[in-house]
Amino acid sequence: FRLVIISCRYILRQFYNTPNIMLKTLTTKFRLLAFLLLCCLLAQSAVNNPVGEAQELKISADTVSHAQESDMLTAEGNVRIDYGDVTLTAAKVELNRGTMDFTATGDVKVSLANDGGSWQSPAIKGNLDKRTLSFGPYRMSSPIWYGGGEGGSGDGNGNVTSTSIWLSTCDKDEPHYRLTASTVNYFSDHTFSAWNALLKFGNVPVFYFPYLWGTTDGTSGYIFHPGYSGKKGAYLRIGRVKKFDDKGEGSLYLDLMSKRGVGLGSDIDYKDEKRLFKAKLYGILDSDPPETEHGYDRRFNSKDERYRLNTYLREELAEGLDMRLNLDVLSDISMLSDWFRRDYRRMEQPRSYLDFNMDTPNFSTGLAIRPRLNDFYTVVETLPEYRFEMPRHNIKDTSFQQQTSFRMGYYALKWRNFDRKRSSLFLLDENRDLYEDPNDYESFRAHYQHFLYRPIQLGDLGSFTPRAGIAATYYSRSSKTKLTDNDIANMLDVDDPDHPYTKTLLKNYDAKGGDVARLAFEFGGEWKTSLRSDWVDWKLEKLNLNGAQHVLEPYINYTYAPEPSHDRDHIYYFDEVDRLDKQHFVRFGLDQRLVTRRKEGASTYLRLQSYYDFHFDRGEESERHPGDLGNRLDFTPRKDLAYWAAMVYDAGERRIQRGETGLRFGEEQKLNFAIRYVFRNDHLSRSTWSMGSSLVDFSGESSYLKKRFETADIVNARLFVPINPLTSLEIEAEYDFDKSKLSEHRYILRRRLHCWDVGLGMGWDNSDFEIMLMARLVAFPKVRINVDF
């Protein structure tokens, strides 16, 4: 009896643990082999002698008898055996103590405590000495998986054969979908083979594999991802996944697409204590490559042989010393946006680099190489660049502080290599020969920057920290031709591949200016203080206020940077270091916070940040001294309610230049609403920059480069309405006030159909209408099928 129960206990434990393994394996891919979970369950009953930690064995039955002449032990009527967290019930159990043959009959059920699942069969028999096992029709259930089959047998060596098995996350007698196989052989080394594997929706067969093989211990699996989309047409992704212990996994897959052709890809993710490695390789023979004009994708030749090779490696070479390598090679400018939208939204132009970085408590230093691997991108190459950073720290035992940084390297700005000449776009224009592309340029550059600070405590008045700094830069080459901010903006405009027909005329740098040594200085100081008022007994339950503290932090930051020793218009532009210019302004700022007590600790209830810039020199943008007035308000009374608003008012131009506001209400899967409004005028920003102190920036206006902002006037809203526990409605819309039209809006109705979440949606993206059908498994939300037209 003890061996019978231990065998059943191991069956259930393997059954109970495996769904977690399979869940990790499923993730974003739909693995057809989930049904082999059952085989893994059954096999453990025959693997080795199951002797574990001693557990208390309890046996109860209506009658228990022992025939000494035949050595038969019989328990009948409501037989119940408890062993650890496993319970076995049956109508009758017989055990021959001489041969160790056993039989359990009459609705045999094995259950695991705490709703861990159960396994049922009319009968089970075997031999405990030989560890053989045979069983008839069975049914299993767990919090996630449900399944069954006609029967099976084990040979005593850990090998089990099962016939006509099925598995599903649907607990219906007739599941909405199921995974089936006619015969499954499971072996003691956790490998399997399956014949006639079939995916069914209801009784309708959807996909068929004549033969499958792999492992059931979570180290490998299959990828099965069907669907239909407007871009790909009907598509199917099939492949294999292999896990590397607990350190990662690799996959190889094939894409079959009715509209785009055949694609082949491989992904690898690996991580251990000292190393992180990711690789993505994908190639496609594209039958419908993107074209903006016949034979061209923008101003580049259209390609049907398309690929991406992306590898990332981070290696800890020693304590504090890291190496990072990223290579991203693409076949064409549209490869990323066409096939890797998530990566494209994160970074429209991927970077390739090799970087060595060493961090110590006192300084950091590093060496970086950034080449251009894709000639359809504009890149500032560093071949190589050395950097040294020493953060702000006290000089020995004095009250003076210093901060140092140094960078040097060989820099080259490589503009896009268009396949189609710009002049060929304007054949009927008599000035077409003047329409050229920017020229590449390169130079060695060394930049050293050093600042001194002297914090002075003023008692109740706060602190005042004067600062003084120097920046010294050397260039091996410069230009005799002068390029202003507008000239640089024109080069960027012409280089934009999305607007090839611009007729902007260019100036290009030459290499006749010789080497240049430039000095730049900055002087300034910052005063700041902190004032606090406590209202411990101030409680407003309706507003979720439980006591409050008002924190008031005013500051004044004065910055003066005289004209550098060399005119920046003759210096090659690689980044903001090359555009240092005169700065003379004072910023008045105020940071206010209302802090309250909550269960999780102190929390900011309300925050208002404000600043105002006054320039001592007139700006070319407005010919006035006043600069920007900025404000940002954040209001978070509860976890499910947040409001924010930001505005930048140009006091010189006397108009609002940039603004944003938004509201978020509600929790996920409950009634929730979010709205965001963005406003921006067409304007040239006011340059505000400090080398030695940080400046608050609400909307990207702080820069040595004057930025040309384009008009925007957009409101975006999203509403989620739970109609009942099974049904919900999602509405998203965006209105463009500048174009006076509803640019985007979509409506999605979702309904839970037992083990499936199904969504039906329709929407408009500008003038394009689309309809969408989405389905995902409730148990595994990442397993989904999407169809859109």
Side-chain angles (χ1 to χ4, degrees), residues 196 211 251 253 256 395 401 433 474 640 655 667 747:
N196 301 313
Y211 181 75
S251 63
Y253 50 88
L256 306 173
I395 302 175
Q401 299 176 339
D433 293 336
Y474 171 77
D640 60 351
R655 66 173 184 172
E667 299 180 20
Y747 313 87

PDB file of all heavy atoms in Angstrom, residues 196 211 251 253 256 395 401 433 474 640 655 667 747:
ATOM      1  N   ASN A 196       0.598  11.855 -34.882  1.00  0.00           N
ATOM      2  CA  ASN A 196      -0.712  12.419 -35.238  1.00  0.00           C
ATOM      3  C   ASN A 196      -1.177  13.488 -34.241  1.00  0.00           C
ATOM      4  O   ASN A 196      -2.267  13.421 -33.673  1.00  0.00           O
ATOM      5  CB  ASN A 196      -1.768  11.308 -35.341  1.00  0.00           C
ATOM      6  CG  ASN A 196      -1.402  10.272 -36.374  1.00  0.00           C
ATOM      7  OD1 ASN A 196      -1.015  10.615 -37.491  1.00  0.00           O
ATOM      8  ND2 ASN A 196      -1.502   9.000 -36.008  1.00  0.00           N
ATOM      9  N   TYR A 211       4.198  13.967 -36.884  1.00  0.00           N
ATOM     10  CA  TYR A 211       5.144  13.420 -35.902  1.00  0.00           C
ATOM     11  C   TYR A 211       5.826  14.576 -35.180  1.00  0.00           C
ATOM     12  O   TYR A 211       6.234  15.559 -35.800  1.00  0.00           O
ATOM     13  CB  TYR A 211       6.203  12.551 -36.599  1.00  0.00           C
ATOM     14  CG  TYR A 211       7.190  11.930 -35.638  1.00  0.00           C
ATOM     15  CD1 TYR A 211       6.826  10.853 -34.833  1.00  0.00           C
ATOM     16  CD2 TYR A 211       8.490  12.428 -35.546  1.00  0.00           C
ATOM     17  CE1 TYR A 211       7.730  10.283 -33.960  1.00  0.00           C
ATOM     18  CE2 TYR A 211       9.410  11.856 -34.670  1.00  0.00           C
ATOM     19  CZ  TYR A 211       9.019  10.779 -33.874  1.00  0.00           C
ATOM     20  OH  TYR A 211       9.913  10.218 -33.008  1.00  0.00           O
ATOM     21  N   SER A 251      15.704  29.896 -30.077  1.00  0.00           N
ATOM     22  CA  SER A 251      14.620  29.427 -30.933  1.00  0.00           C
ATOM     23  C   SER A 251      15.023  29.546 -32.398  1.00  0.00           C
ATOM     24  O   SER A 251      15.834  30.404 -32.769  1.00  0.00           O
ATOM     25  CB  SER A 251      13.344  30.233 -30.674  1.00  0.00           C
ATOM     26  OG  SER A 251      13.533  31.605 -30.998  1.00  0.00           O
ATOM     27  N   TYR A 253      12.831  29.464 -36.157  1.00  0.00           N
ATOM     28  CA  TYR A 253      11.459  29.432 -36.644  1.00  0.00           C
ATOM     29  C   TYR A 253      11.393  29.808 -38.121  1.00  0.00           C
ATOM     30  O   TYR A 253      12.294  30.462 -38.668  1.00  0.00           O
ATOM     31  CB  TYR A 253      10.559  30.357 -35.819  1.00  0.00           C
ATOM     32  CG  TYR A 253      11.097  31.754 -35.637  1.00  0.00           C
ATOM     33  CD1 TYR A 253      10.833  32.751 -36.566  1.00  0.00           C
ATOM     34  CD2 TYR A 253      11.876  32.073 -34.540  1.00  0.00           C
ATOM     35  CE1 TYR A 253      11.329  34.030 -36.404  1.00  0.00           C
ATOM     36  CE2 TYR A 253      12.382  33.349 -34.362  1.00  0.00           C
ATOM     37  CZ  TYR A 253      12.106  34.319 -35.295  1.00  0.00           C
ATOM     38  OH  TYR A 253      12.605  35.579 -35.134  1.00  0.00           O
ATOM     39  N   LEU A 256       5.704  31.575 -42.825  1.00  0.00           N
ATOM     40  CA  LEU A 256       5.071  31.389 -44.123  1.00  0.00           C
ATOM     41  C   LEU A 256       3.967  32.429 -44.239  1.00  0.00           C
ATOM     42  O   LEU A 256       3.023  32.422 -43.448  1.00  0.00           O
ATOM     43  CB  LEU A 256       4.507  29.977 -44.249  1.00  0.00           C
ATOM     44  CG  LEU A 256       5.481  28.828 -43.976  1.00  0.00           C
ATOM     45  CD1 LEU A 256       4.757  27.500 -43.971  1.00  0.00           C
ATOM     46  CD2 LEU A 256       6.603  28.830 -45.017  1.00  0.00           C
ATOM     47  N   ILE A 395      37.668  68.504  -2.047  1.00  0.00           N
ATOM     48  CA  ILE A 395      39.110  68.492  -2.240  1.00  0.00           C
ATOM     49  C   ILE A 395      39.769  68.310  -0.870  1.00  0.00           C
ATOM     50  O   ILE A 395      39.776  69.233  -0.039  1.00  0.00           O
ATOM     51  CB  ILE A 395      39.591  69.791  -2.903  1.00  0.00           C
ATOM     52  CG1 ILE A 395      38.888  69.978  -4.252  1.00  0.00           C
ATOM     53  CG2 ILE A 395      41.096  69.773  -3.085  1.00  0.00           C
ATOM     54  CD1 ILE A 395      39.206  71.287  -4.921  1.00  0.00           C
ATOM     55  N   GLN A 401      34.860  71.948  -3.584  1.00  0.00           N
ATOM     56  CA  GLN A 401      34.517  70.748  -4.337  1.00  0.00           C
ATOM     57  C   GLN A 401      34.941  70.929  -5.786  1.00  0.00           C
ATOM     58  O   GLN A 401      35.015  72.056  -6.294  1.00  0.00           O
ATOM     59  CB  GLN A 401      33.011  70.476  -4.268  1.00  0.00           C
ATOM     60  CG  GLN A 401      32.499  70.237  -2.860  1.00  0.00           C
ATOM     61  CD  GLN A 401      30.994  70.080  -2.823  1.00  0.00           C
ATOM     62  OE1 GLN A 401      30.283  70.514  -3.731  1.00  0.00           O
ATOM     63  NE2 GLN A 401      30.477  69.469  -1.763  1.00  0.00           N
ATOM     64  N   ASP A 433      20.899  71.641 -60.143  1.00  0.00           N
ATOM     65  CA  ASP A 433      22.299  71.369 -59.823  1.00  0.00           C
ATOM     66  C   ASP A 433      22.701  71.928 -58.461  1.00  0.00           C
ATOM     67  O   ASP A 433      23.741  71.554 -57.913  1.00  0.00           O
ATOM     68  CB  ASP A 433      23.215  71.948 -60.907  1.00  0.00           C
ATOM     69  CG  ASP A 433      23.055  71.227 -62.235  1.00  0.00           C
ATOM     70  OD1 ASP A 433      22.616  70.051 -62.208  1.00  0.00           O
ATOM     71  OD2 ASP A 433      23.344  71.817 -63.291  1.00  0.00           O
ATOM     72  N   TYR A 474      40.185  70.957 -28.320  1.00  0.00           N
ATOM     73  CA  TYR A 474      41.115  71.022 -29.447  1.00  0.00           C
ATOM     74  C   TYR A 474      40.527  70.225 -30.609  1.00  0.00           C
ATOM     75  O   TYR A 474      40.025  69.109 -30.439  1.00  0.00           O
ATOM     76  CB  TYR A 474      42.484  70.440 -29.072  1.00  0.00           C
ATOM     77  CG  TYR A 474      43.405  70.291 -30.269  1.00  0.00           C
ATOM     78  CD1 TYR A 474      44.061  71.398 -30.814  1.00  0.00           C
ATOM     79  CD2 TYR A 474      43.581  69.052 -30.876  1.00  0.00           C
ATOM     80  CE1 TYR A 474      44.889  71.277 -31.912  1.00  0.00           C
ATOM     81  CE2 TYR A 474      44.412  68.913 -31.990  1.00  0.00           C
ATOM     82  CZ  TYR A 474      45.050  70.024 -32.507  1.00  0.00           C
ATOM     83  OH  TYR A 474      45.857  69.896 -33.609  1.00  0.00           O
ATOM     84  N   ASP A 640      -5.516  55.451  -8.095  1.00  0.00           N
ATOM     85  CA  ASP A 640      -6.319  55.349  -9.309  1.00  0.00           C
ATOM     86  C   ASP A 640      -6.684  56.714  -9.888  1.00  0.00           C
ATOM     87  O   ASP A 640      -7.571  56.803 -10.737  1.00  0.00           O
ATOM     88  CB  ASP A 640      -7.592  54.549  -9.030  1.00  0.00           C
ATOM     89  CG  ASP A 640      -8.456  55.192  -7.955  1.00  0.00           C
ATOM     90  OD1 ASP A 640      -7.986  56.150  -7.312  1.00  0.00           O
ATOM     91  OD2 ASP A 640      -9.609  54.744  -7.761  1.00  0.00           O
ATOM     92  N   ARG A 655       3.707  84.629 -25.499  1.00  0.00           N
ATOM     93  CA  ARG A 655       2.713  83.632 -25.887  1.00  0.00           C
ATOM     94  C   ARG A 655       3.145  82.264 -25.373  1.00  0.00           C
ATOM     95  O   ARG A 655       4.326  82.008 -25.125  1.00  0.00           O
ATOM     96  CB  ARG A 655       2.510  83.578 -27.399  1.00  0.00           C
ATOM     97  CG  ARG A 655       3.712  83.086 -28.177  1.00  0.00           C
ATOM     98  CD  ARG A 655       3.345  82.904 -29.640  1.00  0.00           C
ATOM     99  NE  ARG A 655       4.451  82.343 -30.409  1.00  0.00           N
ATOM    100  CZ  ARG A 655       4.340  81.937 -31.669  1.00  0.00           C
ATOM    101  NH1 ARG A 655       3.171  82.043 -32.309  1.00  0.00           N
ATOM    102  NH2 ARG A 655       5.380  81.433 -32.308  1.00  0.00           N
ATOM    103  N   GLU A 667      -8.554  51.935 -12.157  1.00  0.00           N
ATOM    104  CA  GLU A 667      -7.596  50.848 -12.090  1.00  0.00           C
ATOM    105  C   GLU A 667      -7.795  49.904 -13.268  1.00  0.00           C
ATOM    106  O   GLU A 667      -8.858  49.871 -13.887  1.00  0.00           O
ATOM    107  CB  GLU A 667      -7.758  50.077 -10.780  1.00  0.00           C
ATOM    108  CG  GLU A 667      -7.513  50.907  -9.540  1.00  0.00           C
ATOM    109  CD  GLU A 667      -7.677  50.093  -8.269  1.00  0.00           C
ATOM    110  OE1 GLU A 667      -7.594  48.846  -8.352  1.00  0.00           O
ATOM    111  OE2 GLU A 667      -7.897  50.689  -7.209  1.00  0.00           O
ATOM    112  N   TYR A 747     -12.710  51.048 -31.686  1.00  0.00           N
ATOM    113  CA  TYR A 747     -13.674  50.562 -30.710  1.00  0.00           C
ATOM    114  C   TYR A 747     -13.543  49.039 -30.641  1.00  0.00           C
ATOM    115  O   TYR A 747     -13.632  48.360 -31.663  1.00  0.00           O
ATOM    116  CB  TYR A 747     -15.094  50.949 -31.110  1.00  0.00           C
ATOM    117  CG  TYR A 747     -15.204  52.408 -31.530  1.00  0.00           C
ATOM    118  CD1 TYR A 747     -14.946  52.786 -32.856  1.00  0.00           C
ATOM    119  CD2 TYR A 747     -15.529  53.391 -30.611  1.00  0.00           C
ATOM    120  CE1 TYR A 747     -15.020  54.113 -33.242  1.00  0.00           C
ATOM    121  CE2 TYR A 747     -15.612  54.722 -30.986  1.00  0.00           C
ATOM    122  CZ  TYR A 747     -15.356  55.072 -32.307  1.00  0.00           C
ATOM    123  OH  TYR A 747     -15.423  56.390 -32.686  1.00  0.00           O
TER     124      TYR A 747
END
